[in-house]
Amino acid sequence: MGLPEHSVRQSAAVARRVLVAGAGGVLGRHVVRQLIARGERVLALVRRSRSAAAVQALGAECRVLDALAPEALRGIGDGVDAIVSCLGAPVTPSPFVGRRPYTRVDAPANISLADEAVRAGVSNFTYVALAGGRACRTLNYADAHERVVDHLEKLPIAACIVRPTGFFGAMAELVSMARWGVLPIFGDGAALTNPVHEADVAAVIVQSLDRAESSMIEVGGPDTFSRKAIGKLAFEAIGRRARFVHVPPKLARCGAMMLAAINPRAGHFVRFATHVMTTPCIAPCVGSQRLADYFHEYARKG
Ligand SMILES: NC(=O)c1ccc[n+]([C@@H]2O[C@H](COP(=O)([O-])OP(=O)(O)OC[C@H]3O[C@@H](n4cnc5c(N)ncnc54)[C@H](OP(=O)(O)O)[C@@H]3O)[C@@H](O)[C@H]2O)c1
């Protein structure tokens, strides 16, 4: 008796070996967890050895390497069926997590990984870029991702480009900042967006591995807010009255230029943050998790 179609797909999936780059990051861990739950074999690439224990605990085989080191990726694609890359320089204004611009981390590391995928005959490559990235290539953060997309488009491999809006995790910092009593808003705070939970993005990524053709998927969450409304949610989560200080975008861009002189990547991040806070960014709703629940849970954990 034949297996039902669903079971056949599951059995085929079990046979796959999936390499996840950036596996120690916020999104990467969700991807690893969901792949393992689906029965896939996962080879996780992490940069820092302290991330290795966490992904091994999820059941993944792990390699610690710096993708920017010469020859670091040679041979890594052998025996791999599909690659997911969530690899990128940290998306934070902190000047203490590296200085190299995004174009000198995200682009070269992911381009080398894509070339290795082709060399090793890997059948598909899923890359996480960003919603609206094509339209703001003058920004270093967006251009770094778009360089990878351009490269993948030229390669003989089924490439899936996943373009999420902002992750809940990236917004959660607002809850911590709201505890200071006042939140900065670049511009009037009216630009709309629909942030998405990392786990919802990971679910889209895991499904993308079943695609044989190249594709592009924009991923947003279920609720669309203005940037000011997101700030208000952060205050609500801690039970405080919302208070904002409006920073003129010109001033924020000046601040970004000054910061870039000390730390180029931190400066590029602030330029990008100014752009996203003043420009609408809405993607088709794919996710189901709610930002208000996430903020309340984040606030409860302290
Ligand atoms: N955050 C957002 O709202 C958002 C929205 C849309 C798209 N994205 C994009 O989605 C991707 C994943 O985001 P995320 O928030 O999960 O980022 P993340 O937490 O910073 O994870 C990125 C991972 O890449 C790894 N990595 C960086 N440089 C490396 C190198 N040279 N060699 C090997 N590994 C390296 C990091 O390892 P270490 O931890 O060891 O440094 C980290 O684990 C990024 O490309 C990001 O730009 C993010």
Side-chain angles (χ1 to χ4, degrees):
M1 197 174 74
L3 285 167
E5 197 194 335
H6 173 72
S7 310
V8 174
R9 267 204 306 272
Q10 285 293 324
S11 323
V14 169
R16 268 190 306 215
R17 185 163 186 253
V18 184
L19 183 156
V20 181
V26 177
L27 177 60
R29 284 188 203 196
H30 283 282
V31 172
V32 170
R33 194 175 293 117
Q34 291 186 27
L35 285 170
I36 285 176
R38 212 170 99 137
E40 312 278 14
R41 291 180 299 143
V42 176
L43 170 59
L45 301 194
V46 301
R47 187 172 63 107
R48 288 173 299 177
S49 44
R50 68 167 182 259
S51 303
V55 292
Q56 278 164 339
L58 297 173
E61 179 192 342
C62 189
R63 286 277 293 276
V64 181
L65 57 80
D66 181 346
L68 293 174
E71 305 291 309
L73 297 172
R74 181 175 285 271
I76 201 81
D78 290 334
V80 166
D81 300 297
I83 293 181
V84 173
S85 181
C86 312
L87 186 158
V91 192
T92 158
S94 170
F96 305 113
V97 289
R99 291 175 48 85
R100 280 192 209 181
Y102 294 100
T103 43
R104 289 186 50 209
V105 179
D106 299 47
N110 285 296
I111 286 171
S112 301
L113 188 59
D115 288 344
E116 168 61 14
V118 172
R119 186 208 60 77
V122 174
S123 58
N124 63 28
F125 193 107
T126 298
Y127 176 62
V128 184
L130 52 141
R134 270 283 190 249
C136 58
R137 282 193 78 152
T138 50
L139 301 171
N140 184 278
Y141 174 69
D143 189 42
H145 289 79
E146 296 311 317
R147 288 184 194 191
V148 181
V149 174
D150 289 347
H151 190 73
L152 280 166
E153 280 171 357
K154 289 186 211 129
L155 294 180
I157 192 166
C160 178
I161 311 302
V162 176
R163 293 184 175 276
T165 55
F167 297 163
F168 284 5
M171 314 264 157
E173 192 56 30
L174 292 174
V175 177
S176 312
M177 287 166 70
R179 291 187 201 280
W180 304 341
V182 62
L183 276 179
I185 293 265
F186 297 168
D188 62 6
L192 297 176
T193 190
N194 58 332
V196 62
H197 194 292
E198 297 81 354
D200 286 331
V201 180
V204 169
I205 290 172
V206 169
Q207 283 161 20
S208 77
L209 301 181
D210 294 330
R211 292 175 181 235
E213 302 291 325
S214 289
S215 54
M216 197 274 287
I217 314 172
E218 291 200 315
V219 189
D223 302 310
T224 298
F225 305 98
S226 67
R227 292 285 168 176
K228 196 163 188 174
I230 294 175
K232 284 183 182 162
L233 275 187
F235 281 108
E236 265 169 46
I238 56 165
R240 301 264 297 260
R241 190 171 67 86
R243 283 179 59 220
F244 298 99
V245 54
H246 289 270
V247 181
K250 262 190 186 164
L251 189 64
R253 281 192 285 271
C254 270
M257 258 169 62
M258 286 191 290
L259 186 56
I262 305 163
N263 183 314
R265 189 194 301 158
H268 290 312
F269 174 84
V270 175
R271 263 309 296 281
F272 176 72
T274 310
H275 172 83
V276 291
M277 284 183 87
T278 52
T279 312
C281 180
I282 300 172
C285 167
V286 178
S288 61
Q289 302 205 42
R290 321 296 296 258
L291 185 61
D293 298 339
Y294 187 93
F295 275 6
H296 276 99
E297 184 60 16
Y298 186 87
R300 196 185 57 76
K301 286 183 181 159

